[in-house]
Amino acid sequence: MKPARPRRYLPFVPSHIILNNPKQLKYTKRPKAPRRALRLLIRMNEFNRIAAQIVAVLLFSVSLAFITNAVRADRFPLIMPFPPTYQCPSSEKPGLPMDLQTALNLYGKAGTVFIDSRKGDAFQKGHIEGARHIPYSFVEPLSKETLDSLRRSKSIIVYCNREDSEASQLLAGELAQAGINGVAYLEKGFTGWVKAGGRYTGKAPEAYDE
Amino acid sequence: MNLMKELGILRHIISHPLLIALFRIALGVVFIVASLDKIHYPEAFATTIANYRLLPYKLINGTAIVLPWLEAITGTLLVLGVWIRANTIIVVGLLLVFSIAISQALARGLDISCGCFTTNPVAERMSLWTLIWDLVWLCWGGLIWLFDRGPYSLFKLLSTRKDKTESP
């Protein structure tokens, strides 16, 4: 019996078009996507196979988690609402507000401290004259030294650029939770302070406020 | 020389297929049990994650939704013995992340509960023992990675049965 002629594959011809005879193209059914993926998985070496399996497990878990969350009656929001809740040292609340006029009256008096809760570069560009820089970070609790240095103050006013900025509210809340008295956040923030004629150094916040 | 011999015996015992399969199933069960409470109370688990102060708060809820399911699925796959090496890597990775989270919380003096098996905020506070237990599980995962080649897995079980039914 004559041995079967080996199949030849033409370059640039898709693999599902198999050529037995140079004059005659034989079309076979292209395998469906899941089978192609399975074949690919089998041909992979150990490292790639494990990597593919890890990705598959991660994707499946993420999909299942979000689908389950979407269909459950008490759907859980994907982003934690403001203010964030946590219990260390106790549940976080935004601090009390202080209006601009009261802050302007308190400015320069003994025992009053202004705290700038913005990031370093914003503070460098401009800030309330004499303000102390304590940038707020959700992931970084205030140090004991910082808290101890603030305990002697009578009135602490925390500010950031605008009223709706979260940093000043959260920092004021955290200071109050840590047992510091007389803490409040400045309504309308640094922008409002400059408009109301308060003293400041550097540029006005309009120049760099996003 | 004696020490080498004893180590060889120890390795032989640890790498016994049945023992390592039991190790794997135990680790899988631990992950499943750990995930149940978190899946049921995602809000409480989100608070637990927030207490660590490791993530920006906008990412916390998403993590609280996904992480318990990842634990549950990898745990189940480990118990069944499906994709053992891939799942062991995920489990070891998760344990590594937990170890880092616990270490930083201990280093910063955060007085919080670890949320490992329960989301109850007044549960037992985190201590050095929490970290030690986590590292024990991490080594446990390492042993599975090294020695478990899946002789007692679902795939092997099914293929053995198939062989038996096919043989005359």
Side-chain angles (χ1 to χ4, degrees), chain A residues 40-112:
Chain A
L40 193 72
L41 207 66
I42 290 165
R43 275 189 218 130
M44 280 179 180
N45 62 29
E46 179 79 4
F47 178 81
N48 287 347
R49 192 183 302 146
I50 289 173
Q53 287 169 355
I54 289 171
V55 171
V57 172
L58 292 177
L59 282 177
F60 181 66
S61 304
V62 171
S63 315
L64 192 64
F66 284 125
I67 290 167
T68 318
N69 185 55
V71 297
R72 66 190 287 169
D74 54 337
R75 190 183 300 169
F76 189 53
L78 294 181
I79 293 173
M80 188 179 268
F82 179 81
T85 50
Y86 54 94
Q87 297 135 351
C88 175
S90 55
S91 62
E92 180 74 348
K93 295 185 182 91
L96 296 168
M98 180 181 279
D99 62 85
L100 267 172
Q101 198 51 52
T102 316
L104 283 164
N105 292 340
L106 282 171
Y107 182 77
K109 289 191 177 160
T112 301

Side-chain angles (χ1 to χ4, degrees), chain B residues 112-167:
Chain B
I112 55 174
S113 78
C114 86
C116 306
F117 290 95
T118 175
T119 51
N120 184 1
V122 291
E124 199 180 337
R125 294 295 173 191
M126 186 192 292
S127 67
L128 197 62
W129 280 107
T130 319
L131 180 65
I132 292 169
W133 265 113
D134 206 69
L135 293 174
V136 167
W137 289 120
L138 195 67
C139 298
W140 198 284
L143 287 178
I144 295 166
W145 164 263
L146 283 174
F147 299 122
D148 198 337
R149 293 289 173 267
Y152 294 98
S153 68
L154 185 71
F155 284 153
K156 280 275 158 79
L157 197 74
L158 290 176
S159 61
T160 318
R161 284 201 173 173
K162 203 177 168 187
D163 290 345
K164 277 183 186 170
T165 47
E166 276 173 5
S167 60

Side-chain angles (χ1 to χ4, degrees), chain A residues 95-153:
Chain A
L96 296 168
M98 180 181 279
D99 62 85
L100 267 172
Q101 198 51 52
T102 316
L104 283 164
N105 292 340
L106 282 171
Y107 182 77
K109 289 191 177 160
T112 301
V113 178
F114 279 80
I115 294 177
D116 193 314
S117 62
R118 300 171 301 162
K119 300 269 183 269
D121 55 339
F123 180 78
Q124 294 300 325
K125 284 172 186 166
H127 56 266
I128 293 177
E129 203 172 294
R132 205 175 145 185
H133 186 218
I134 305 176
Y136 176 75
S137 165
F138 179 75
V139 295
E140 188 61 46
L142 289 167
S143 68
K144 195 174 173 298
E145 292 76 30
T146 309
L147 291 173
D148 287 344
S149 68
L150 291 169
R151 282 188 205 283
R152 289 185 295 275
S153 309

Side-chain angles (χ1 to χ4, degrees), chain B residues 1-8:
Chain B
M1 198 65 195
N2 263 346
L3 183 72
M4 292 304 287
K5 197 178 171 185
E6 279 162 14
L7 280 176

Side-chain angles (χ1 to χ4, degrees), chain A residues 2-58:
Chain A
K2 212 173 173 183
R5 191 173 168 181
R7 284 177 170 178
R8 286 201 298 132
Y9 294 85
L10 276 184
F12 313 116
V13 173
S15 61
H16 60 283
I17 302 170
I18 298 166
L19 190 72
N20 273 332
N21 187 328
K23 289 178 185 172
Q24 187 187 0
L25 282 171
K26 185 181 176 186
Y27 292 87
T28 58
K29 201 178 169 188
R30 193 174 188 217
K32 284 183 181 166
R35 180 162 286 195
R36 288 207 310 276
L38 194 68
R39 279 185 190 174
L40 193 72
L41 207 66
I42 290 165
R43 275 189 218 130
M44 280 179 180
N45 62 29
E46 179 79 4
F47 178 81
N48 287 347
R49 192 183 302 146
I50 289 173
Q53 287 169 355
I54 289 171
V55 171
V57 172
L58 292 177

